Amino acid sequence: MKIRHSAAMLTLALGLMTGTAYAAVSPSELVGPVTEYKIYVTENLDQLASDTKAFTDAVKAGDLDEAKALYGASRVHYEAIEPIAELFSDLDGSIDSRADDHEKKEQDPGFTGFHRIEYGLFVTGSTKGLEPFADKLLADVNDLQKRVAGLTFPPEKVVGGAAALLEEVASSKISGEEDRYAHTDLFDFQANIDGAKKIFELFRPLIEKSDAAFVQKVAANFATVDKILAKYKTADGYEYYDKVTEADRKALSGPVNTLAEDLSKLRGKLGLN
């Protein structure tokens, strides 16, 4: 999809930041990276819609094996752009909530989306009764796509998204609670890392001018995390997370926490706090 983004609208949104006494860059310098990030998000949403259609088609066709095989990969484009998706809390809750977010857990009628279908596929071991959840998931993803198309991205939210992606991995996903039924957590990890790295790379030139050492440190930390995750790659994606030992989880946790801490400084480096 070709993006035609209103420079005037972006400039207006960016102009809200000029009041800070710590502005390290001018609003006009942020327009390019923010626009490029919207293109990245839109491309991910296009792929998310396509992957979700294939996944939900398998569910509705009653093809349990195919649906289970598609589950892990079907979520990655959502995880990569999660900070933007979370701007629409109603859709985020419908698409990506966990059983713990609902009073009656897995039996709560409000528990929908990827994880509700995951529960049916991997715990119940059947596609029976999942058709309405599949239809709703696809409709919600298509709705998200439309809403984001009309959104002017706040620069502070974009930049802050890098840290948010890693902080979620560090605080909860390392435990394996995200994809607790399918154990496809490593797909999510890599998508979160990739999404955070995209933000970092887009704003990197602006930060590098004033703090090249910081940029080099963050880039090295990304390389470390990518190297660790590469150990678990398989021909079909990644190892199931329940096969990852506690020692290996701790080995991953340290670099992820370090990277999250570094990325939390990005907004300050750009004067967006």
Side-chain angles (χ1 to χ4, degrees):
M1 178 184 293
K2 186 172 178 62
I3 306 298
R4 290 182 171 86
H5 209 67
S6 169
M9 288 177 67
L10 270 174
T11 302
L12 177 62
L14 296 170
L16 296 175
M17 307 310 302
T18 57
T20 175
Y22 302 100
V25 297
S26 68
S28 62
E29 289 179 288
L30 297 171
V31 173
V34 170
T35 303
E36 286 298 316
Y37 185 65
K38 182 165 187 178
I39 293 172
Y40 171 78
V41 169
T42 302
E43 290 173 344
N44 270 272
L45 284 170
D46 289 346
Q47 192 60 53
L48 174 67
S50 176
D51 290 350
T52 302
K53 177 71 162 56
F55 172 58
T56 55
D57 280 352
V59 172
K60 292 170 66 176
D63 192 336
L64 178 63
D65 290 341
E66 178 71 0
K68 289 171 75 171
L70 291 175
Y71 171 74
S74 71
R75 289 173 40 75
V76 296
H77 295 284
Y78 187 87
E79 292 292 322
I81 55 94
E82 198 165 14
I84 296 302
E86 287 178 345
L87 292 175
F88 305 98
S89 59
D90 59 330
L91 288 179
D92 182 54
S94 182
I95 292 170
D96 199 41
S97 67
R98 305 172 191 175
D100 297 342
D101 299 325
H102 303 275
E103 183 180 357
K104 297 179 181 178
K105 308 291 184 181
E106 286 87 355
Q107 308 311 314
D108 198 298
F111 179 38
T112 62
F114 278 113
H115 295 303
R116 175 60 183 87
I117 298 174
E118 177 199 2
Y119 174 73
L121 298 177
F122 291 90
V123 177
T124 306
S126 171
T127 61
K128 186 177 180 180
L130 295 180
E131 293 87 349
F133 296 112
D135 285 337
K136 179 169 175 52
L137 174 60
L138 183 59
D140 286 340
V141 166
N142 289 334
D143 189 8
L144 178 63
Q145 198 175 19
K146 292 174 185 176
R147 293 197 205 181
V148 170
L151 179 68
T152 298
F153 284 24
E156 68 278 9
K157 182 66 178 178
V158 173
V159 176
L165 283 164
L166 269 295
E167 286 164 2
E168 186 174 358
V169 174
S171 65
S172 63
K173 290 185 178 179
I174 287 286
S175 69
E177 67 181 61
E178 176 82 359
D179 297 301
R180 65 189 67 175
Y181 318 116
H183 306 297
T184 53
D185 303 82
L186 291 174
F187 282 90
D188 290 5
F189 288 8
Q190 187 66 69
N192 292 154
I193 298 296
D194 291 344
K197 187 190 296 182
K198 181 65 177 182
I199 295 168
F200 168 68
E201 291 294 346
L202 286 173
F203 291 91
R204 176 176 181 164
L206 298 178
I207 300 171
E208 206 158 23
K209 292 187 294 185
S210 59
D211 199 340
F214 172 78
V215 166
Q216 290 170 5
K217 180 187 177 190
V218 173
N221 286 337
F222 268 118
T224 296
V225 173
D226 279 336
K227 185 176 180 180
I228 293 171
L229 286 173
K231 291 169 48 181
Y232 306 109
K233 283 188 177 179
T234 66
D236 300 322
Y238 289 90
E239 294 278 1
Y240 289 114
Y241 199 54
D242 58 342
K243 306 297 183 187
V244 178
T245 67
E246 190 62 33
D248 284 348
R249 293 186 188 197
K250 287 181 179 179
L252 179 61
S253 178
V256 166
N257 274 294
T258 298
L259 190 52
E261 184 178 341
D262 286 342
L263 293 175
S264 70
K265 301 172 184 175
L266 288 184
R267 292 205 321 180
K269 298 285 184 184
L270 292 166
L272 295 173
N273 279 336

